Amino acid sequence: MNLKEWAAREGVHHVTAYRWFREGKLPVPARRVGRLILVEPSAVEPASEGTTVVYARVSSADQKAELDRQVARVVTWATGRSLTVSRVVIEVGSTVDGRCKEFLTLLRDPTVTTIVVEHRDRFARFGAEYVEAALSAQGRRLLVVDPAGVDDELVGDVTEILTSLCARLYGSRGAGRRARRAVEVVTEGAPG
């Protein structure tokens, strides 16, 4: 299997996988053959033992209805790919402070070989690549249903941070307006 196919199967962007290969940090054995990078066949075999867990999280208690819909979407996706879901773990809380107890419990449990989430930001706002690499190095995997999904919560978090910073710089009266304007400028300039 070539590196790009392996990266897609593992839920890692192919550029990240290539960088890991170049830096010697790829969690599976691979070798260069001409212009291709091939992952060793023994590393491609899926784990035969262990459990698959669906992990769903929302930031606040007023989003609990969304939690049920999230679980339904992820379980449907997993079963559609012939994964047997052993259990579903749900959590209410923010990942900004890194205190998602249920997710940390899943990471510590070596019998959990596959964790399925809807979006990357469900388990980490920042540094998701490190979590994926650590799991992959242990022969475990994290599957992301929608790896490109952008969540409105992240925009809200950035707006709150900008409001706080603007309040410190310019005073609290115009902070909200300045933060909203900064978010608008950034989102208008982003490729759509």
Side-chain angles (χ1 to χ4, degrees), residues 94 124 139:
S94 176

Side-chain angles (χ1 to χ4, degrees), residues 14 47 96 108 123 128 153 191:
H14 66 277
V96 175
R108 289 183 189 110
F123 64 91
E153 285 183 43

Side-chain angles (χ1 to χ4, degrees), residues 72-147:
R73 288 189 300 263
V74 177
V75 169
T76 301
W77 183 88
T79 55
R81 283 163 182 66
S82 302
L83 293 171
T84 304
V85 177
S86 300
R87 69 181 200 251
V88 174
V89 175
I90 59 172
E91 190 159 31
V92 177
S94 176
T95 60
V96 175
D97 60 6
R99 294 187 185 161
C100 292
K101 291 180 186 177
E102 297 296 330
F103 188 71
L104 291 173
T105 301
L106 288 177
L107 293 178
R108 289 183 189 110
D109 186 353
T111 63
V112 175
T113 55
T114 305
I115 302 171
V116 186
V117 297
E118 185 172 31
H119 301 288
R120 276 189 166 69
D121 70 346
R122 294 298 92 195
F123 64 91
R125 288 282 187 204
F126 309 104
E129 299 83 19
Y130 299 118
V131 174
E132 292 177 271
L135 285 171
S136 185
Q138 296 173 352
R140 301 161 69 193
R141 61 187 178 161
L142 187 121
L143 299 178
V144 181
V145 173
D146 186 8

